[in-house]
Amino acid sequence: MAEKKERYRLKELIDVDKSQRLLDSFCDAVGIAAAIIDLEGEIMVGSRWQRICTDFHRVNQKTLTRCINSDTRMANALQKNQRFSMYRCLNGLTDAASPIIIEKNHIANAFAGQFLLEPPDLNFFRAQAAQYCFEEKAYLEALSEVPIIDEQRLPIILGFLTTYAEIVATMGLDRQRQLDYEAAICASEERFRETVELLPTIVCEHDTNGRFTYVNTYGLELLGFSQTDLERGLYADQIFPAQEEKFKGQFLWLLKKETQEPGEFQVKCKDGNSIDVLAYCAPIWKEDQIVGVRSSVTPITELTRTKEALRESEMKYKELADSLPQVVFETDEEGELKFTNLNAFKEFGYSDKDFKEGLNALEMLVSDDRERAMKNITAILSGRTLGGIEYTALRKDGSTFPVLIHSNLILRQGKPAGLRGIIIDLSERKQVEKERSELEVRLQRAEKMEAIGTLAGGVAHDLNNVLSGIVSYPDLLLMQLPEDSPLRKPIMTIQGAGKKAAAIVQDLLTLARRGGDSQ
């Protein structure tokens, strides 16, 4: 699109010659000098300049400086948003000005000047003639030509000038914008032509008589025609000889302003060979009338091959993903699921309907893990590689299970488009780890029992050797003592204590044997 011009100069918007003639007529009617001057000080149009200014004030360097100072003071007043400014210049005449505003932009000023509001003070002008070496008689004759204007008429005069300039400028602005728009249209059409020349498909246009007005280079080369053939006259019945009625039917649908689906045709090349194509057609509008048809035509063989290759690739990817025991997924940048394999539905309990209605990957994690997951997603989208990350997954029914997620960045046209990854259920692994941990505890316990048994066995054997005498010798002593001996009771007590100790030793030996059996 052509760049829009933000600010226009008045000179670009008005017809200077016509404006000059109209201003001359106006100034002759009201009897004063007037001008339209842009903000750079350039006079666009001016009329009826007074001789006292052109022959005297604007010739002498000192009085010229006074004129410039007067103009500057009025311009400064208008820049302060004053609608009207009037000033008696240092050379004795009166000037007035009003701004010209176009779409809130101050682009120029309308001036009316070189007049008097009352009869001149001759002594002032005689003194001025003497001061600046003007020939007095000629100077006063020029002064006599200066009009005396009723001050009440000034706003009307300046109002006319301002309104006139604004109307002319607005009309010019409309014209300029029209030219800009037309230039933009031309630039757009040029870019369109440049673009379609690069397309590997036929792009063409024809009028309502079926004559092709444009065929891109690819189309001409594919059909075997030249640009000269096109310029001499290439018609639809040459391209669609065997299907002319079908083509006309397609065209009539467009003329009726009804929707028409893409159509399959057989086009004839210049060498007589035929090509099957799929044509997308749209009407060309001009002033609410269809003036032709624009078409995009793709050979079906190439289109079919491309679609089949794409379909086969997608099918292989889906079959491979569905055959994996893990969950395979793809998301966009916001985490919305765009693809999952069959195992995902099995693991998480969602249905295909749920998927089509929209699911977010973060919803499949417990709430405590979501903030951490979001940070990790942001890191991966920024290009970082994080490896496998453990989370607690959340099924549709509310149950949870441990998972390990591996995900990578999806790039499309060099820009991040989402994530692709796999989810591994860690439930079995966690169960195995739990069982292994329990076995390790049992093994440690068995090792402790074995150590205790070994220690107990050694102690028991040593004690057993000591106790054998304590238990057996009392029997020998009792056999030698009479029944009424007072020593029998203490000896029997010693023997009973020895037997109890022997029983304890036997328990230690049993423990030692169990410790050995635990291996």
Side-chain angles (χ1 to χ4, degrees):
M1 195 73 180
E3 182 179 353
K4 181 182 177 181
K5 194 166 184 178
E6 294 296 337
R7 182 156 186 138
Y8 296 92
R9 297 184 61 193
L10 185 63
K11 188 177 183 179
E12 300 171 346
L13 305 178
I14 66 174
D15 186 327
V16 175
D17 292 336
K18 291 182 180 179
S19 298
Q20 181 64 59
R21 290 196 296 270
L22 182 58
L23 187 64
D24 288 341
S25 299
F26 171 74
C27 291
D28 288 341
V30 297
I32 64 170
I36 297 176
I37 305 175
D38 69 14
L39 300 182
E40 285 73 35
E42 182 178 357
I43 299 174
M44 301 293 100
V45 289
S47 182
R48 204 177 175 84
W49 294 102
Q50 294 298 322
R51 283 196 314 111
I52 194 171
C53 291
T54 58
D55 295 349
F56 295 94
H57 296 162
R58 295 276 175 174
V59 174
N60 183 279
Q61 188 60 43
K62 292 183 179 179
T63 53
L64 174 60
T65 301
R66 288 183 168 190
C67 291
I68 294 173
N69 288 339
S70 299
D71 293 341
T72 301
R73 291 187 181 184
M74 279 197 299
N76 289 338
L78 294 177
Q79 289 177 358
K80 296 178 181 178
N81 297 322
Q82 291 187 14
R83 184 59 182 162
F84 180 83
S85 176
M86 186 168 64
Y87 180 74
R88 185 176 184 273
C89 77
L90 299 176
N91 292 323
L93 302 184
T94 299
D95 294 318
S98 183
I100 298 175
I101 308 295
I102 300 295
E103 294 188 337
K104 299 182 180 180
N105 290 319
H106 181 190
I107 66 170
N109 296 311
F111 283 89
Q114 303 173 5
F115 58 84
L116 298 169
L117 296 177
E118 57 186 9
D121 182 350
L122 296 180
N123 291 330
F124 170 81
F125 285 99
R126 286 193 181 96
Q128 190 161 260
Q131 181 180 356
Y132 298 111
C133 301
F134 296 147
E135 201 282 315
E136 181 178 304
K137 182 178 179 181
Y139 184 62
L140 294 179
E141 285 180 357
L143 175 64
S144 67
E145 297 172 2
V146 175
I148 300 173
I149 302 298
D150 185 352
E151 188 172 351
Q152 294 181 352
R153 293 178 57 200
L154 282 178
I156 299 174
I157 295 172
L158 282 172
F160 171 82
L161 285 175
T162 302
T163 303
Y164 156 72
E166 290 177 351
I167 291 174
V168 173
T170 300
M171 293 175 63
L173 181 60
D174 291 340
R175 174 58 182 161
Q176 186 63 48
R177 285 177 173 165
Q178 179 65 25
L179 293 175
D180 290 345
Y181 177 74
E182 292 174 358
I185 293 294
C186 291
S188 178
E189 290 181 350
E190 184 178 351
R191 283 195 294 273
F192 166 75
R193 299 294 187 203
E194 292 174 352
T195 301
V196 298
E197 284 298 319
L198 300 174
L199 295 176
T201 188
I202 302 173
V203 178
C204 56
E205 296 177 353
H206 65 76
D207 59 22
T208 54
N209 295 318
R211 177 171 180 168
F212 286 96
T213 56
Y214 172 77
V215 180
N216 68 342
T217 302
Y218 177 85
L220 291 174
E221 292 177 351
L222 184 66
L223 299 174
F225 293 99
S226 66
Q227 188 65 34
T228 301
D229 294 326
L230 181 64
E231 293 171 355
R232 287 176 178 173
L234 186 60
Y235 288 85
D237 56 4
Q238 295 175 253
I239 305 297
F240 305 94
Q243 294 177 303
E244 185 176 352
E245 292 303 319
K246 181 178 180 181
F247 175 78
K248 286 183 178 178
Q250 181 101 345
F251 183 55
L252 288 174
W253 276 103
L254 295 173
L255 291 179
K256 293 177 181 178
K257 306 178 184 179
E258 297 185 27
T259 302
Q260 178 70 8
E261 295 296 326
E264 292 187 14
F265 299 93
Q266 192 175 70
V267 297
K268 183 179 179 181
C269 301
K270 189 175 181 179
D271 62 6
N273 292 323
S274 297
I275 301 175
D276 292 326
V277 298
L278 184 65
Y280 296 81
C281 303
I284 301 174
W285 293 87
K286 186 175 182 180
E287 297 178 356
D288 296 329
Q289 295 292 325
I290 295 178
V291 297
V293 174
R294 181 178 294 116
S295 303
S296 172
V297 183
T298 304
I300 290 179
T301 52
E302 295 183 15
L303 180 65
T304 303
R305 189 182 302 115
T306 301
K307 286 185 175 180
E308 183 62 27
L310 178 60
R311 188 193 66 79
E312 184 176 349
S313 175
E314 290 177 345
M315 183 61 67
K316 285 181 178 179
Y317 174 72
K318 188 175 187 307
E319 289 176 353
L320 177 61
D322 286 341
S323 67
L324 295 174
Q326 295 85 13
V327 172
V328 180
F329 69 92
E330 290 183 7
T331 74
D332 61 15
E333 293 177 279
E334 304 299 324
E336 293 295 322
L337 287 171
K338 297 302 178 183
F339 171 82
T340 60
N341 64 344
L342 291 177
N343 199 46
F345 298 105
K346 176 183 175 182
E347 288 285 354
F348 286 88
Y350 288 96
S351 65
D352 186 61
K353 179 181 178 183
D354 296 325
F355 176 77
K356 291 178 179 178
E357 290 177 351
L359 293 172
N360 191 287
L362 292 175
E363 296 174 357
M364 299 182 182
L365 300 177
V366 295
S367 57
D368 291 343
D369 282 354
R370 291 174 187 171
E371 183 177 355
R372 177 167 60 94
M374 191 67 242
K375 290 180 180 179
N376 291 333
I377 290 173
T378 302
I380 295 172
L381 289 174
S382 67
R384 291 178 57 190
T385 301
L386 300 184
I389 303 172
E390 290 192 19
Y391 298 100
T392 300
L394 179 67
R395 296 188 178 93
K396 184 178 181 180
D397 62 8
S399 60
T400 62
F401 62 104
V403 294
L404 180 68
I405 300 179
H406 293 266
S407 54
N408 294 312
L409 175 64
I410 299 175
L411 288 174
R412 291 194 175 95
Q413 298 180 346
K415 296 181 179 180
L419 300 180
R420 179 184 294 117
I422 61 172
I423 301 175
I424 302 172
D425 185 352
L426 297 181
S427 299
E428 291 186 8
R429 183 187 301 180
K430 294 291 185 182
Q431 182 62 31
V432 170
E433 290 177 354
K434 180 181 178 182
E435 291 177 357
R436 184 175 63 186
S437 178
E438 291 176 352
L439 286 174
E440 289 177 352
V441 171
R442 290 172 61 186
L443 178 61
Q444 291 174 0
R445 185 181 301 154
E447 290 174 349
K448 290 180 181 179
M449 291 298 294
E450 180 182 3
I452 293 172
T454 302
L455 177 62
V459 172
H461 282 293
D462 291 341
L463 288 175
N464 204 33
N465 292 333
V466 174
L467 291 174
S468 61
I470 298 173
V471 173
S472 59
Y473 279 111
D475 285 333
L476 295 175
L477 293 172
L478 289 174
M479 286 176 18
Q480 297 176 10
L481 292 175
E483 291 294 330
D484 58 350
S485 174
L487 294 176
R488 290 185 69 86
K489 186 175 181 180
I491 291 173
M492 292 179 66
T493 300
I494 292 171
Q495 188 182 40
K499 289 181 179 180
K500 289 181 180 179
I504 294 174
V505 169
Q506 191 61 42
D507 289 341
L508 288 174
L509 289 172
T510 302
L511 178 62
R513 284 194 294 272
R514 288 180 179 175
D517 293 342
S518 65
Q519 296 180 356

